[in-house]
Amino acid sequence: MKYQDVAIPAGLLWSSPFIRWQGAVGNVTSVDLATAVTNRALADRGLDPSVVDEVVLGITIPQPGYFFGPPTIAGRIGIPQVTGPMVSQACATGVAALHAAAASVSTGGGTELVITTDRTSNGPTIVYPSPNAAGGVPAVEDFVQNNFACDPWAGTSMLAAAETVARERSITRGELDDVAVLRYEQYERALADDRSFQHAYMVPIELTSGRTHLEATTDAGVRPIDRAAIAGLRPAVADGVHTGASQTHPADGTAGAIVTTTARAHELSPGPVARILSTGFARVAPTHMPEAPVPAALRALDAAGLTMHQVDAITTHNPFAVNDIVFARETGVDLAKMNSYGCSLIWGHPQAPTGMRAIAELVTELSLRGGGIGLFTGCAAGDTAAALVVRVDD
């Protein structure tokens, strides 16, 4: 999908720290977390919420009261007259939410507030009535863990997809470990100079839940990756090549952006603007999810009239190290030229906000470089993927 005159002010794209699941915000609903961080993001950036014409909420894991998600959050941040759609597309939700906002702007809409939020901690156990079952025993689903463990259509897990692709492409344990080490070294760059890179987009978490006051200014639960140390890790599955170091961890977090026209973007925030050029979505063969980011990226680039050689910076959602190896092999992109400041393999995966944070890091990197073309691409459940192309300039 190609867009005309759609932009994000670089200064109005943000993410909370990501907190490893069962951590400090494990008992805070993602709706409450999104409200607190969005309020802080807008206040810190001096943006009056009244400029917002529509709220797009991206969320994938049911939470108490999330049925009323967009109007609830809009009311809590001071714009009770505003509402909008709720988007859920597994790990592709960040791109899907921006796609919805960009489509609205392109067709005459005004200023969109995109909020993505999820809590993998303490996910719901859902009981489905089953009156025709023996004794009327209901069907029960652990929403997070059951869906992590099995794609109901393909009948396999996401880890099985990673192992299948690694086996078919003869990708070794050593190659995966090398990528994990590289991505952690890149993440350390984001922590340099008192986290100056992260300060450009990261909004602290500060809220009260019950009797507890919670504050988090940095990612929590990120584990250092040392090549010698991870060499002794056992594979996640028998005869597999992925370990705990070469796959991501579930997390909790939220991220957001303002999407509007280019002229309005300049009015709302000083500094660079990220023009949304296009998005692309793709699906590959069953149990081959790590391959999907390649066709998604190529579709987005084709829609924008660009080639991979014209891209200046790339970020990916890579829940498994195999994802980036496949991407590099298929496109010829140097692994070291991707994810310059880390990625979801390292800082975790709260679902909906994951892609949005990677896009925030992409725009921040391009802003520091003085502009350029950026590509985000990442896989999602169901052997799918989503990609987005931006151009950052003054």
Side-chain angles (χ1 to χ4, degrees), residues 193-237:
D193 300 321
D194 191 30
R195 298 175 46 246
S196 61
F197 178 81
Q198 291 186 344
H199 282 307
Y201 69 87
M202 191 170 283
V203 176
I205 296 170
E206 185 175 4
L207 54 83
T208 298
S209 178
R211 297 180 179 180
T212 304
H213 184 72
L214 302 172
E215 293 187 22
T217 58
T218 61
D219 296 322
V222 174
R223 295 173 180 171
I225 297 179
D226 173 81
R227 189 66 173 79
I230 67 172
L233 293 176
R234 293 181 179 180
V237 294

Side-chain angles (χ1 to χ4, degrees), residues 232-380:
L233 293 176
R234 293 181 179 180
V237 294
D239 300 320
V241 288
H242 285 84
T243 69
S246 52
Q247 60 180 305
T248 190
H249 57 267
D252 307 324
T254 183
I258 292 291
V259 180
T260 187
T261 64
T262 305
R264 186 66 168 143
H266 284 296
E267 293 173 3
L268 294 177
S269 179
V273 163
R275 303 169 194 264
I276 300 178
L277 302 183
S278 62
T279 54
F281 297 86
R283 190 176 190 186
V284 292
T287 316
H288 286 72
M289 181 180 71
E291 296 179 344
V294 175
L298 295 177
R299 287 180 183 178
L301 287 168
D302 183 64
L306 298 168
T307 67
M308 195 69 69
H309 296 294
Q310 294 171 282
V311 175
D312 300 297
I314 299 171
T315 59
T316 65
H317 163 48
N318 47 358
F320 304 99
V322 68
N323 287 45
D324 283 355
I325 294 174
V326 171
F327 189 89
R329 287 186 181 182
E330 291 291 317
T331 65
V333 173
D334 186 341
L335 281 165
K337 300 296 184 182
M338 303 158 55
N339 298 310
S340 298
Y341 294 90
C343 56
S344 57
L345 181 68
I346 304 302
W347 34 250
H349 183 23
Q351 299 283 92
T354 305
M356 187 72 80
R357 172 168 172 172
I359 293 165
E361 295 198 349
L362 176 66
V363 171
T364 300
E365 178 183 355
L366 288 168
S367 297
L368 292 173
R369 294 173 56 164
I373 301 295
L375 167 69
F376 163 76
T377 190
C379 69

